[in-house]
Amino acid sequence: MAIRRILRMGHPHLRQRASDVPLEILGTEPFERLLADMKDTLHDYGGVGLAAPQIGEGLRTAIIELPGGPTRYGELEPIPLTTFINPVIEVLSEKTAGFWEGCLSVPGLRGFVERPQHVRVSYTDIQGLTQTLELQGFPATVVQHEFDHLDGTLYIDRITDTRRLAFEEEFNRHILTT
Ligand code: NI
């Protein structure tokens, strides 16, 4: 296990479409090591999710760990640390909601992004089983943000009003409090 360096915006690997994970690599030592590295890296940097391309691995895999309870996004249902392999998102309602997002690959910034707020995720778990998960509100935003990384998309690309892009320090001082 190791803490890996997170690639930052401008690195070409963040802009490539990741490949499907061949299911025969599940449970193998290199893939298990990748997942362990992703968890170590997420916990070291702090954050709610990490996609494999962010550490330079072009595979359709992301991990998400969302603490529950009261947050600045309201009262949240927790998502325990979950590995999503080859995830697919189905939008269940076109109704959108906006949240201020941040990204470990875009450090120091926050941007307001509107996304569909009711989605179903289908994915393969680490045992190779197909799972589905229905999410609403901020957790729906989190999965869309993470899975966008698998297509080479950053949240910055989805900001429709660039006046709502801010440095974290100014965000905390002027926006979070209003
Ligand atoms: Ni991100």
Side-chain angles (χ1 to χ4, degrees), residues 36-172:
D37 286 357
M38 287 174 67
K39 287 169 193 168
D40 286 351
T41 304
L42 178 64
H43 289 151
D44 185 71
Y45 277 77
V48 298
L50 184 73
Q54 291 181 275
I55 57 169
E57 304 283 350
L59 288 171
R60 300 187 79 77
T61 299
I63 60 172
I64 291 172
E65 183 175 39
L66 191 60
T71 71
R72 65 186 171 95
Y73 301 110
E75 185 74 27
L76 290 186
E77 279 291 310
I79 301 177
L81 184 60
T82 304
T83 302
F84 296 88
I85 297 163
N86 300 336
V88 176
I89 285 190
E90 183 190 347
V91 174
L92 298 179
S93 161
E94 288 296 335
K95 192 166 169 283
T96 62
F99 294 97
W100 285 87
E101 300 187 19
C103 181
L104 295 172
S105 292
V106 190
L109 292 177
R110 287 274 184 271
F112 189 81
V113 181
E114 292 182 77
R115 301 181 188 264
Q117 283 308 296
H118 190 188
V119 299
R120 183 186 294 129
V121 178
S122 306
Y123 65 99
T124 300
D125 70 13
I126 47 173
Q127 263 91 44
L129 302 172
T130 301
Q131 304 284 352
T132 60
L133 189 58
E134 203 176 306
L135 297 168
Q136 298 195 57
F138 184 65
T141 276
V142 171
V143 293
Q144 290 172 81
H145 174 121
E146 293 311 326
F147 303 163
D148 264 355
H149 280 297
L150 307 178
D151 292 323
T153 299
L154 300 175
Y155 83 82
I156 296 276
D157 309 336
R158 297 200 183 274
I159 294 175
T160 52
D161 179 358
T162 49
R163 289 171 297 186
R164 291 200 280 186
L165 175 64
F167 289 107
E168 214 156 40
E169 204 178 314
E170 279 70 14
F171 171 79
N172 289 333

